Amino acid sequence: MHLAFNEDQATFATVLAQMLGDEAETGFHTVADWGRFDYGTALDARLEEAGFYDAAAEPDLGTVAAAAMVHEVAQVPVTVECAASALLRPFLGGDVPRPLAVVVDDAPGAIRFLPQAGALLSITDGAVRLARLDGQVCEVASLFAYPMGEVASDTLDWTDLEVDAAQVRTLWQIALAAELSGVLAGGLSSVLAHVRERTQFGQALGSFQGVQHRLATDAVWLEGARLLMLKAASSRSAQDASLALAHVQNHATRIGYDLHQFMGAMGLTLEHPLHRWTYRARALRAEMGGAPMAFLDYAEARWRAA
């Protein structure tokens, strides 16, 4: 695996960073009636108009650039449907509308991004199906800092897609690993800024070794998660994808605990963006059965490869 981007990927990352640096579109703003999420409509439109969601299909960018984009976009306070559009949609064929919501193995309950979605993608062991949406969705309130919705799947007009279901499942594991590592990295950056500025006993909180050790451990776990995710995006193997997802889901709870521990009470309010990242992480750490299922997927893939 090459640990450095090629020239095109580096340029792609630089331009994306400039777009994400626009505080007017990506910064933290409280929402009317203290809503728990802020959908980045303007950012989403810019990414789509500039062709960023098509990067995975470009030979010189590929799934590595797409996964890196998901990771970076997940670090801003606003939320957009990026993961499925960047890593699944380019490989589904035809004109697939977006935003794209995803359900795996007919999991019950509310589905992320369903209220904004133009289509719902269903991934099971044997098939990948697509249903276009037009007013069938019921938006539901949620703590998870995502727009969430429900729909009666038996009322939808499903189309079977002629794609490899196992490969689509692998790509979705990569997408989830990228998004979860990104939201946790965004939360960590917010907490690092806080402990540098907040003083106690005449010193910055970040100067105390106990704080440094735990946040440094979190940073090591997250850098490992980023590298495992990029390796999986490069190889697109089931083994690498399941390990990348298992690693970050396994550490998500502990990292989230540390972030709130060192942010203090402000991090529990809707006046600070930390909840935007940690509550997204709570939803993502349970996707596809959570870390136990991802570790089982890894063990099976590793055994088959032996």
Side-chain angles (χ1 to χ4, degrees):
M1 174 189 173
H2 296 291
L3 296 179
F5 289 156
N6 65 32
E7 184 177 349
D8 290 323
Q9 290 167 343
T11 301
F12 179 88
T14 298
V15 176
L16 177 64
Q18 293 171 350
M19 294 174 67
L20 297 180
D22 185 346
E23 285 290 319
E25 291 185 357
T26 66
F28 174 67
H29 308 283
T30 56
V31 178
D33 299 322
W34 297 106
R36 291 184 174 271
F37 70 88
D38 182 9
Y39 193 83
T41 303
L43 174 62
D44 196 16
R46 287 185 67 192
L47 291 171
E48 183 168 20
E49 183 179 356
F52 277 75
Y53 293 125
D54 301 320
E58 297 295 328
D60 293 327
L61 296 174
T63 48
V64 170
M69 176 177 75
V70 174
H71 180 269
E72 295 304 309
V73 170
Q75 295 184 52
V76 298
V78 300
T79 185
V80 298
E81 188 286 290
C82 179
S85 289
L87 279 163
L88 298 186
R89 185 170 172 265
F91 303 104
L92 297 179
D95 181 23
V96 176
R98 65 165 309 278
L100 184 61
V102 178
V103 61
V104 179
D105 296 330
D106 300 320
I111 300 171
R112 295 184 303 123
F113 297 115
L114 199 59
Q116 283 78 19
L120 174 62
L121 187 74
S122 170
I123 305 170
T124 60
D125 283 336
V128 177
R129 301 183 300 159
L130 183 79
R132 295 174 182 266
L133 300 174
D134 185 17
Q136 306 100 317
V137 173
C138 176
E139 186 169 2
V140 297
S142 171
L143 295 176
F144 287 133
Y146 281 114
M148 306 286 282
E150 295 178 339
V151 65
S153 62
D154 57 353
T155 66
L156 300 178
D157 183 15
W158 292 99
T159 300
D160 290 325
L161 301 182
E162 296 182 3
V163 295
D164 184 341
Q167 186 60 44
V168 172
R169 180 181 288 267
T170 293
L171 287 169
W172 187 233
Q173 286 182 314
I174 296 167
L176 291 174
E179 188 169 0
L180 179 51
S181 58
V183 298
L184 290 171
L188 179 60
S189 295
S190 176
V191 171
L192 289 176
H194 173 75
V195 298
R196 290 187 186 110
E197 297 168 2
R198 175 73 169 168
T199 60
Q200 190 61 264
F201 307 113
Q203 301 179 64
L205 287 177
S207 68
F208 295 102
Q209 275 194 335
V211 176
Q212 292 175 353
H213 289 170
R214 281 172 55 184
L215 292 178
T217 299
D218 295 336
V220 169
W221 284 338
L222 288 177
E223 180 61 9
R226 187 183 72 87
L227 293 174
L228 285 170
M229 174 271 295
L230 290 175
K231 182 176 187 291
S234 177
S235 70
R236 291 170 59 177
S237 77
Q239 183 175 313
D240 289 342
S242 54
L243 181 60
L245 182 57
H247 171 84
V248 70
Q249 286 183 324
N250 189 51
H251 290 300
T253 299
R254 172 57 190 270
I255 293 171
Y257 177 86
D258 284 349
L259 298 183
H260 279 287
Q261 176 78 21
F262 297 123
M263 178 62 72
M266 178 57 73
L268 299 173
T269 73
L270 300 182
E271 300 172 44
H272 191 278
L274 182 59
H275 73 279
R276 297 263 180 94
W277 292 297
T278 55
Y279 274 83
R280 286 186 226 162
R282 289 183 66 179
L284 292 167
R285 76 187 185 197
E287 286 269 356
M288 298 186 75
M293 186 57 67
F295 276 122
L296 283 174
D297 288 344
Y298 171 70
E300 291 179 6
R302 187 77 173 85
W303 182 259
R304 288 195 301 269

